[in-house]
mmCIF file of all heavy atoms in Angstrom:
data_model
loop_
_atom_site.group_PDB
_atom_site.id
_atom_site.type_symbol
_atom_site.label_atom_id
_atom_site.label_comp_id
_atom_site.label_asym_id
_atom_site.label_seq_id
_atom_site.Cartn_x
_atom_site.Cartn_y
_atom_site.Cartn_z
ATOM 1 N N PRO A 1564 13.161 -1.309 3.918
ATOM 2 C CA PRO A 1564 13.506 -0.299 4.902
ATOM 3 C C PRO A 1564 14.784 0.382 4.578
ATOM 4 O O PRO A 1564 14.994 1.596 4.982
ATOM 5 C CB PRO A 1564 13.649 -1.116 6.199
ATOM 6 C CG PRO A 1564 12.790 -2.332 5.975
ATOM 7 C CD PRO A 1564 12.923 -2.643 4.521
ATOM 8 N N SER A 1565 15.690 -0.279 3.830
ATOM 9 C CA SER A 1565 16.999 0.337 3.533
ATOM 10 C C SER A 1565 16.859 1.556 2.632
ATOM 11 O O SER A 1565 17.765 2.355 2.518
ATOM 12 C CB SER A 1565 17.941 -0.684 2.878
ATOM 13 O OG SER A 1565 17.441 -1.069 1.644
ATOM 14 N N GLU A 1566 15.694 1.691 1.985
ATOM 15 C CA GLU A 1566 15.493 2.801 1.104
ATOM 16 C C GLU A 1566 14.912 4.052 1.852
ATOM 17 O O GLU A 1566 14.612 5.080 1.221
ATOM 18 C CB GLU A 1566 14.591 2.444 -0.062
ATOM 19 C CG GLU A 1566 15.217 1.397 -0.977
ATOM 20 C CD GLU A 1566 14.347 1.039 -2.166
ATOM 21 O OE1 GLU A 1566 13.198 1.564 -2.190
ATOM 22 O OE2 GLU A 1566 14.774 0.280 -3.016
ATOM 23 N N TYR A 1567 14.672 3.873 3.143
ATOM 24 C CA TYR A 1567 14.061 4.963 3.913
ATOM 25 C C TYR A 1567 15.098 5.556 4.867
ATOM 26 O O TYR A 1567 15.736 4.819 5.636
ATOM 27 C CB TYR A 1567 12.845 4.453 4.663
ATOM 28 C CG TYR A 1567 11.677 4.254 3.715
ATOM 29 C CD1 TYR A 1567 11.595 3.066 2.977
ATOM 30 C CD2 TYR A 1567 10.718 5.219 3.525
ATOM 31 C CE1 TYR A 1567 10.521 2.867 2.089
ATOM 32 C CE2 TYR A 1567 9.659 5.045 2.659
ATOM 33 C CZ TYR A 1567 9.580 3.859 1.924
ATOM 34 O OH TYR A 1567 8.564 3.687 1.017
ATOM 35 N N GLU A 1568 15.249 6.848 4.862
ATOM 36 C CA GLU A 1568 16.226 7.543 5.679
ATOM 37 C C GLU A 1568 15.779 7.626 7.095
ATOM 38 O O GLU A 1568 14.632 8.054 7.396
ATOM 39 C CB GLU A 1568 16.470 8.938 5.126
ATOM 40 C CG GLU A 1568 17.057 8.949 3.687
ATOM 41 C CD GLU A 1568 17.162 10.318 3.138
ATOM 42 O OE1 GLU A 1568 16.931 11.310 3.889
ATOM 43 O OE2 GLU A 1568 17.493 10.492 1.914
ATOM 44 N N PHE A 1569 16.571 7.147 7.984
ATOM 45 C CA PHE A 1569 16.271 7.120 9.462
ATOM 46 C C PHE A 1569 16.918 8.296 10.142
ATOM 47 O O PHE A 1569 18.041 8.672 9.813
ATOM 48 C CB PHE A 1569 16.752 5.797 10.034
ATOM 49 C CG PHE A 1569 16.630 5.725 11.517
ATOM 50 C CD1 PHE A 1569 15.398 5.394 12.079
ATOM 51 C CD2 PHE A 1569 17.722 5.927 12.364
ATOM 52 C CE1 PHE A 1569 15.275 5.291 13.483
ATOM 53 C CE2 PHE A 1569 17.599 5.855 13.723
ATOM 54 C CZ PHE A 1569 16.364 5.520 14.289
ATOM 55 N N SER A 1570 16.192 8.896 11.097
ATOM 56 C CA SER A 1570 16.781 10.003 11.860
ATOM 57 C C SER A 1570 16.179 10.024 13.266
ATOM 58 O O SER A 1570 14.957 9.844 13.447
ATOM 59 C CB SER A 1570 16.519 11.325 11.131
ATOM 60 O OG SER A 1570 17.067 12.410 11.924
ATOM 61 N N LYS A 1573 14.533 15.220 15.503
ATOM 62 C CA LYS A 1573 13.183 15.645 15.172
ATOM 63 C C LYS A 1573 13.039 17.153 15.370
ATOM 64 O O LYS A 1573 13.565 17.718 16.313
ATOM 65 C CB LYS A 1573 12.151 14.947 16.079
ATOM 66 C CG LYS A 1573 12.260 13.388 16.001
ATOM 67 C CD LYS A 1573 12.066 12.817 14.591
ATOM 68 C CE LYS A 1573 12.244 11.329 14.558
ATOM 69 N NZ LYS A 1573 12.164 10.788 13.163
ATOM 70 N N GLY A 1637 10.003 11.121 -3.215
ATOM 71 C CA GLY A 1637 11.433 10.879 -3.167
ATOM 72 C C GLY A 1637 12.126 11.432 -1.922
ATOM 73 O O GLY A 1637 11.593 11.322 -0.800
ATOM 74 N N LYS A 1638 13.274 12.069 -2.107
ATOM 75 C CA LYS A 1638 14.066 12.556 -0.992
ATOM 76 C C LYS A 1638 13.367 13.679 -0.241
ATOM 77 O O LYS A 1638 13.521 13.837 0.977
ATOM 78 C CB LYS A 1638 15.442 13.066 -1.517
ATOM 79 C CG LYS A 1638 16.317 12.000 -2.125
ATOM 80 C CD LYS A 1638 16.766 10.977 -1.091
ATOM 81 C CE LYS A 1638 17.684 9.950 -1.680
ATOM 82 N NZ LYS A 1638 18.119 8.904 -0.674
ATOM 83 N N VAL A 1639 12.616 14.500 -0.960
ATOM 84 C CA VAL A 1639 11.897 15.611 -0.282
ATOM 85 C C VAL A 1639 10.887 15.055 0.713
ATOM 86 O O VAL A 1639 10.766 15.504 1.863
ATOM 87 C CB VAL A 1639 11.204 16.493 -1.305
ATOM 88 C CG1 VAL A 1639 10.377 17.584 -0.609
ATOM 89 C CG2 VAL A 1639 12.221 17.166 -2.225
ATOM 90 N N LYS A 1640 10.148 14.035 0.279
ATOM 91 C CA LYS A 1640 9.155 13.375 1.132
ATOM 92 C C LYS A 1640 9.846 12.761 2.307
ATOM 93 O O LYS A 1640 9.386 12.924 3.482
ATOM 94 C CB LYS A 1640 8.419 12.320 0.311
ATOM 95 C CG LYS A 1640 7.415 11.447 1.130
ATOM 96 C CD LYS A 1640 6.805 10.395 0.267
ATOM 97 C CE LYS A 1640 6.001 9.429 1.040
ATOM 98 N NZ LYS A 1640 5.369 8.363 0.170
ATOM 99 N N GLN A 1641 10.930 12.060 2.122
ATOM 100 C CA GLN A 1641 11.602 11.382 3.228
ATOM 101 C C GLN A 1641 12.206 12.387 4.230
ATOM 102 O O GLN A 1641 12.152 12.153 5.435
ATOM 103 C CB GLN A 1641 12.719 10.474 2.679
ATOM 104 C CG GLN A 1641 12.197 9.246 1.999
ATOM 105 C CD GLN A 1641 13.206 8.146 1.872
ATOM 106 O OE1 GLN A 1641 14.073 8.003 2.745
ATOM 107 N NE2 GLN A 1641 13.123 7.321 0.871
ATOM 108 N N LYS A 1642 12.670 13.500 3.729
ATOM 109 C CA LYS A 1642 13.248 14.526 4.628
ATOM 110 C C LYS A 1642 12.138 15.080 5.524
ATOM 111 O O LYS A 1642 12.339 15.272 6.746
ATOM 112 C CB LYS A 1642 13.890 15.643 3.795
ATOM 113 C CG LYS A 1642 14.604 16.690 4.667
ATOM 114 C CD LYS A 1642 15.302 17.739 3.814
ATOM 115 C CE LYS A 1642 15.974 18.766 4.696
ATOM 116 N NZ LYS A 1642 16.669 19.804 3.886
ATOM 117 N N LEU A 1643 10.968 15.322 4.959
ATOM 118 C CA LEU A 1643 9.843 15.826 5.745
ATOM 119 C C LEU A 1643 9.440 14.807 6.799
ATOM 120 O O LEU A 1643 9.186 15.173 7.941
ATOM 121 C CB LEU A 1643 8.638 16.117 4.815
ATOM 122 C CG LEU A 1643 8.642 17.466 4.086
ATOM 123 C CD1 LEU A 1643 7.435 17.504 3.133
ATOM 124 C CD2 LEU A 1643 8.628 18.612 5.060
ATOM 125 N N ILE A 1644 9.371 13.536 6.421
ATOM 126 C CA ILE A 1644 8.954 12.502 7.341
ATOM 127 C C ILE A 1644 9.992 12.288 8.478
ATOM 128 O O ILE A 1644 9.637 12.285 9.653
ATOM 129 C CB ILE A 1644 8.712 11.165 6.637
ATOM 130 C CG1 ILE A 1644 7.505 11.282 5.677
ATOM 131 C CG2 ILE A 1644 8.448 10.066 7.633
ATOM 132 C CD1 ILE A 1644 7.287 10.025 4.851
ATOM 133 N N LYS A 1645 11.220 12.157 8.092
ATOM 134 C CA LYS A 1645 12.220 11.759 9.103
ATOM 135 C C LYS A 1645 12.501 12.773 10.143
ATOM 136 O O LYS A 1645 12.938 12.467 11.278
ATOM 137 C CB LYS A 1645 13.545 11.356 8.431
ATOM 138 C CG LYS A 1645 14.382 12.468 7.859
ATOM 139 C CD LYS A 1645 15.677 11.940 7.247
ATOM 140 C CE LYS A 1645 16.544 13.098 6.750
ATOM 141 N NZ LYS A 1645 17.837 12.556 6.184
ATOM 142 N N HIS A 1646 12.230 14.066 9.837
ATOM 143 C CA HIS A 1646 12.446 15.139 10.837
ATOM 144 C C HIS A 1646 11.176 15.582 11.528
ATOM 145 O O HIS A 1646 11.235 16.470 12.396
ATOM 146 C CB HIS A 1646 13.148 16.317 10.174
ATOM 147 C CG HIS A 1646 14.547 16.051 9.791
ATOM 148 N ND1 HIS A 1646 15.453 15.454 10.660
ATOM 149 C CD2 HIS A 1646 15.218 16.318 8.634
ATOM 150 C CE1 HIS A 1646 16.610 15.343 10.015
ATOM 151 N NE2 HIS A 1646 16.504 15.845 8.798
ATOM 152 N N GLU A 1666 5.868 3.823 6.255
ATOM 153 C CA GLU A 1666 6.949 4.649 5.805
ATOM 154 C C GLU A 1666 7.452 5.551 6.888
ATOM 155 O O GLU A 1666 8.667 5.783 7.067
ATOM 156 C CB GLU A 1666 6.536 5.440 4.563
ATOM 157 C CG GLU A 1666 6.226 4.618 3.342
ATOM 158 C CD GLU A 1666 5.723 5.409 2.173
ATOM 159 O OE1 GLU A 1666 4.959 6.342 2.355
ATOM 160 O OE2 GLU A 1666 6.202 5.137 1.040
ATOM 161 N N SER A 1667 6.526 6.135 7.645
ATOM 162 C CA SER A 1667 6.913 7.054 8.735
ATOM 163 C C SER A 1667 7.682 6.337 9.844
ATOM 164 O O SER A 1667 8.736 6.820 10.275
ATOM 165 C CB SER A 1667 5.650 7.693 9.319
ATOM 166 O OG SER A 1667 4.929 8.413 8.378
ATOM 167 N N MET A 1668 7.219 5.168 10.239
ATOM 168 C CA MET A 1668 7.895 4.426 11.266
ATOM 169 C C MET A 1668 9.264 3.956 10.811
ATOM 170 O O MET A 1668 10.193 3.871 11.594
ATOM 171 C CB MET A 1668 7.026 3.254 11.760
ATOM 172 C CG MET A 1668 5.778 3.706 12.532
ATOM 173 S SD MET A 1668 4.846 2.290 13.284
ATOM 174 C CE MET A 1668 4.133 1.580 11.814
ATOM 175 N N ALA A 1669 9.378 3.655 9.515
ATOM 176 C CA ALA A 1669 10.688 3.258 8.975
ATOM 177 C C ALA A 1669 11.687 4.382 9.093
ATOM 178 O O ALA A 1669 12.912 4.141 9.248
ATOM 179 C CB ALA A 1669 10.552 2.788 7.521
ATOM 180 N N CYS A 1670 11.215 5.614 9.044
ATOM 181 C CA CYS A 1670 12.097 6.786 9.186
ATOM 182 C C CYS A 1670 12.306 7.121 10.672
ATOM 183 O O CYS A 1670 13.006 8.094 10.972
ATOM 184 C CB CYS A 1670 11.462 7.993 8.464
ATOM 185 S SG CYS A 1670 11.417 7.848 6.691
ATOM 186 N N GLY A 1671 11.680 6.355 11.587
ATOM 187 C CA GLY A 1671 11.826 6.617 13.011
ATOM 188 C C GLY A 1671 10.873 7.664 13.494
ATOM 189 O O GLY A 1671 11.092 8.215 14.606
ATOM 190 N N THR A 1672 9.805 7.930 12.809
ATOM 191 C CA THR A 1672 8.859 8.976 13.168
ATOM 192 C C THR A 1672 7.533 8.322 13.639
ATOM 193 O O THR A 1672 6.971 7.500 12.907
ATOM 194 C CB THR A 1672 8.601 9.902 12.000
ATOM 195 O OG1 THR A 1672 9.842 10.534 11.618
ATOM 196 C CG2 THR A 1672 7.579 10.963 12.324
ATOM 197 N N ARG A 1716 11.436 1.857 13.967
ATOM 198 C CA ARG A 1716 12.075 1.259 12.773
ATOM 199 C C ARG A 1716 12.184 -0.270 12.926
ATOM 200 O O ARG A 1716 11.938 -1.001 11.978
ATOM 201 C CB ARG A 1716 13.430 1.902 12.502
ATOM 202 C CG ARG A 1716 14.038 1.438 11.164
ATOM 203 C CD ARG A 1716 15.289 2.209 10.842
ATOM 204 N NE ARG A 1716 15.963 1.742 9.639
ATOM 205 C CZ ARG A 1716 15.697 2.168 8.431
ATOM 206 N NH1 ARG A 1716 14.749 3.040 8.229
ATOM 207 N NH2 ARG A 1716 16.403 1.728 7.399
#
Side-chain angles (χ1 to χ4, degrees):
S1565 66
E1566 295 182 355
Y1567 287 82
E1568 298 175 6
F1569 174 79
S1570 179
K1573 305 301 176 185
K1638 296 293 184 182
V1639 175
K1640 174 183 173 181
Q1641 288 200 31
K1642 185 177 180 180
L1643 278 175
I1644 294 175
K1645 74 178 182 179
H1646 290 313
E1666 293 178 318
S1667 300
M1668 291 187 288
C1670 293
T1672 299
R1716 187 172 176 87

